[in-house]
Amino acid sequence: MIDLISTIIMGFLLGGLYALIALGLSLVFGVMRLINVAHGDIVVLGSYLGYAAMTILGMDPILSLFFGIPLMFALGLGIQKFFLNRAFKVSMEAPLIIAFGLSIILQNIYQIIWSPMSRGLTTSYALKSFNIGEIYFPLVYILDFSIALVVMIFLREFLRRSYMGRAINAASQDRKAAQLMGINTDRVFAFTFAIAMALAGVAGICFGLTFPFVPTSGMSFLIIAFGVIVLGGLGSILGTFIGGIVFGLTQTLGSYFFGVNAQLLVAYLMVLVVLSIRPQGIFGRQG
Amino acid sequence: MSEELLKLEKLAVFHGSFQALWDVSLVVRSREIVALIGANTSGKSTLLDTISGFLHPSKGTIEFQGKDISGMDPFKIVDIGITQVPEGRRIFPDLNVLENLILGSYNRRARGEREKNLERVYTLFPLLKSRKNQQARTLSGGEQQMMVIGRGLMSSPKLMLLDEMSLGLAPVVLGELYKALREIRERGITILFVEQNVRQSLQEAERAYVMESGRVVLGGDVAELREEEKIRKAYFGV
């Protein structure tokens, strides 16, 4: 019984991390209608930047976010401005191909710099655990969940209250109408991509604190993010959050009942079931 | 005669390889209400989109307050004081009425005047004030049209372009909207509106231009146009 309860709590906490991984992908798709296939590799970039800060500068991975977030943001602005915005003017497929290219380039850069060996952001607190009565869980899970929660509340308020946030929201609903409001949609796209990269950076640090990663980890992040978005529905932060939790719970419960090897299989079966019953996702908008 | 606010000269506009506008010239003077009439696909909406910067003319010039604006991006066009209330309304369905209106004041020039403009919009359409927290998608067609006109006014425009606002609206509602347009003009905002309903257009406007397959074929005071044989035959059947 205690095993089951702790499995549920672990799944719930893990769900926060999954939502954080999916957030950037969902934002970019919602605003730009681009499936950023490099999103997973960008999350890994966050992990490796944290790793570099830790091994070279001896900096705590979470503190390194003070530099990592602005760096990822600036990279995002650059990628959008010099590559994607130009590609959008060519066709709808061109940015997709650029994202594919970016994915391959990033994976190879990681291989060259950090070798194919598995790395992790091993900190003093990474292995600590926390208990309520007889139930123990790793401290990092709670840390991941809290960071995810803070990031999502922050993003939600930003989108609601700032002029740039409102412009992002408007552009995601109707691009032409947004332009008629005097919104420079190229600039909105650049900010959106930059924010998504910053979010991926945070997700990468959280993941790295919790699990080991390799240069090709991006693909599994991308697949997890797709699953989360399909479950939660696009275009809503709350939906992404719920989607993440459902995905996390399905995975840990799948592992509990059917064994570790079946955990992702069960999670994706869940995605299939939701897709067939509610194609717009649990929280998605119709149509 | 008052100053020329908008002046189009010999515009040629292409959609890809298809020429949508041919040799279009027209003038809108300050504080006028001008109608642009013509059948579907005669190029009226294309013309408004060209003024708004979504399409760029390959020949000819667009002057606004004496400055050539023909290469400007849509968001710049809003900045210099031209707002378009588009066909099909294009509300932001998931935002509430107030949030829709606030988006109208996005351009830097209008941000400082937000509260003042909001008060004016609420005076013009008191209904919007009572519905300000309601989700835009739940408004009726007429209410949505009021909201998008209000949204346009939030940008502190000098010129308002209105595309087919009568589509799907009851005559009573439409009468109210035209009354609002006259009040908007009283505040010094010039109006160029596109309409398929010729009878109504000639009633509401002071001058009108008639378009036919991408060309301006007639233009002048509405009183004169009503007498034009072409219009009478085509639209009034006498």
Side-chain angles (χ1 to χ4, degrees), chain A residues 49-50 53-54 57-70 121 123 125 143 147 202 205-206 209:
Chain A
L49 285 179
M54 195 178 76
L57 307 171
M59 200 184 285
D60 179 86
I62 290 179
L63 290 181
S64 79
L65 279 173
F66 282 102
F67 305 97
I69 289 175
L121 304 177
T123 56
Y125 48 84
L143 199 62
I147 291 175
V202 180
I205 294 289
C206 288
L209 285 171

Side-chain angles (χ1 to χ4, degrees), chain B residues 89-152:
Chain B
R89 302 190 275 270
R90 305 194 87 127
I91 60 167
F92 297 108
D94 296 334
L95 303 181
N96 67 30
V97 172
L98 180 62
E99 288 165 333
N100 266 274
L101 292 175
I102 284 176
L103 270 168
S105 64
Y106 183 83
N107 79 77
R108 284 182 194 288
R109 200 170 38 81
R111 283 185 197 183
E113 298 172 4
R114 191 171 105 184
E115 296 310 311
K116 193 184 77 190
N117 283 335
L118 199 56
E119 271 319 302
R120 286 183 170 178
V121 170
Y122 285 157
T123 322
L124 192 65
F125 301 117
L127 186 128
L128 292 181
K129 190 171 189 175
S130 57
R131 300 276 166 95
K132 66 180 179 187
N133 293 320
Q134 193 173 323
Q135 236 198 6
R137 69 162 79 241
T138 65
L139 297 178
S140 74
E143 291 161 355
Q144 289 184 2
Q145 189 65 49
M146 287 176 196
M147 185 184 78
V148 292
I149 292 175
R151 192 177 66 177

Side-chain angles (χ1 to χ4, degrees), chain A residues 127-142:
Chain A
L127 299 172
K128 287 229 167 70
S129 59
F130 180 89
N131 70 303
I132 300 173
E134 289 171 63
I135 307 172
Y136 283 82
F137 9 58
L139 187 66
V140 278
Y141 276 54
I142 296 169

Side-chain angles (χ1 to χ4, degrees), chain A residues 18-28 39 148 151-152 155 196 199 225 229 236-237 240-241:
Chain A
Y18 287 167
L20 191 56
I21 290 174
L23 208 50
L25 187 73
S26 171
L27 184 68
V28 165
H39 181 73
V151 166
M152 273 180 265
L155 181 66
L199 292 170
I229 290 175
S236 128
I237 294 171
T240 305
F241 187 53

Side-chain angles (χ1 to χ4, degrees), chain B residues 2-215:
Chain B
S2 56
E3 64 157 324
E4 288 173 348
L5 186 67
L6 179 75
K7 189 175 175 187
L8 313 184
E9 240 173 329
K10 303 199 164 166
L11 289 187
V13 174
F14 286 83
H15 278 302
S17 61
F18 165 74
Q19 185 161 5
L21 296 182
W22 305 72
D23 210 26
V24 170
S25 300
L26 66 81
V27 168
V28 179
R29 300 190 191 94
S30 252
R31 290 174 163 258
E32 266 189 320
I33 298 186
V34 177
L36 192 59
I37 52 190
N40 246 337
T41 72
S42 60
K44 306 179 306 285
S45 298
T46 305
L47 184 55
L48 291 198
D49 275 355
T50 307
I51 301 171
S52 281
F54 289 100
L55 297 161
H56 298 306
S58 46
K59 266 189 233 151
T61 54
I62 308 173
E63 277 182 20
F64 182 67
Q65 296 185 305
K67 267 190 275 177
D68 185 10
I69 60 162
S70 43
M72 273 190 191
D73 285 323
F75 70 93
K76 277 264 166 68
I77 299 282
V78 179
D79 259 347
I80 60 168
I82 302 178
T83 186
Q84 188 194 136
V85 180
E87 185 181 357
R89 302 190 275 270
R90 305 194 87 127
I91 60 167
F92 297 108
D94 296 334
L95 303 181
N96 67 30
V97 172
L98 180 62
E99 288 165 333
N100 266 274
L101 292 175
I102 284 176
L103 270 168
S105 64
Y106 183 83
N107 79 77
R108 284 182 194 288
R109 200 170 38 81
R111 283 185 197 183
E113 298 172 4
R114 191 171 105 184
E115 296 310 311
K116 193 184 77 190
N117 283 335
L118 199 56
E119 271 319 302
R120 286 183 170 178
V121 170
Y122 285 157
T123 322
L124 192 65
F125 301 117
L127 186 128
L128 292 181
K129 190 171 189 175
S130 57
R131 300 276 166 95
K132 66 180 179 187
N133 293 320
Q134 193 173 323
Q135 236 198 6
R137 69 162 79 241
T138 65
L139 297 178
S140 74
E143 291 161 355
Q144 289 184 2
Q145 189 65 49
M146 287 176 196
M147 185 184 78
V148 292
I149 292 175
R151 192 177 66 177
L153 289 174
M154 291 297 290
S155 71
S156 300
K158 300 184 181 86
L159 172 66
M160 178 177 265
L161 311 172
L162 267 151
D163 199 355
E164 299 268 11
M165 74 170 180
S166 66
L167 277 184
L169 297 185
V172 184
V173 180
L174 206 54
E176 231 175 287
L177 289 173
Y178 276 112
K179 192 170 141 252
L181 290 195
R182 290 194 290 272
E183 282 175 43
I184 290 168
R185 194 265 300 272
E186 289 311 308
R187 295 177 189 174
I189 296 166
T190 309
I191 294 169
L192 173 64
F193 71 93
V194 158
E195 193 52 79
Q196 280 193 62
N197 183 338
V198 175
R199 210 179 280 267
Q200 181 124 34
S201 306
L202 294 183
Q203 215 167 27
E204 303 294 342
E206 288 144 0
R207 288 194 309 117
Y209 289 93
V210 181
M211 288 190 75
E212 225 175 78
S213 38
R215 298 168 199 271

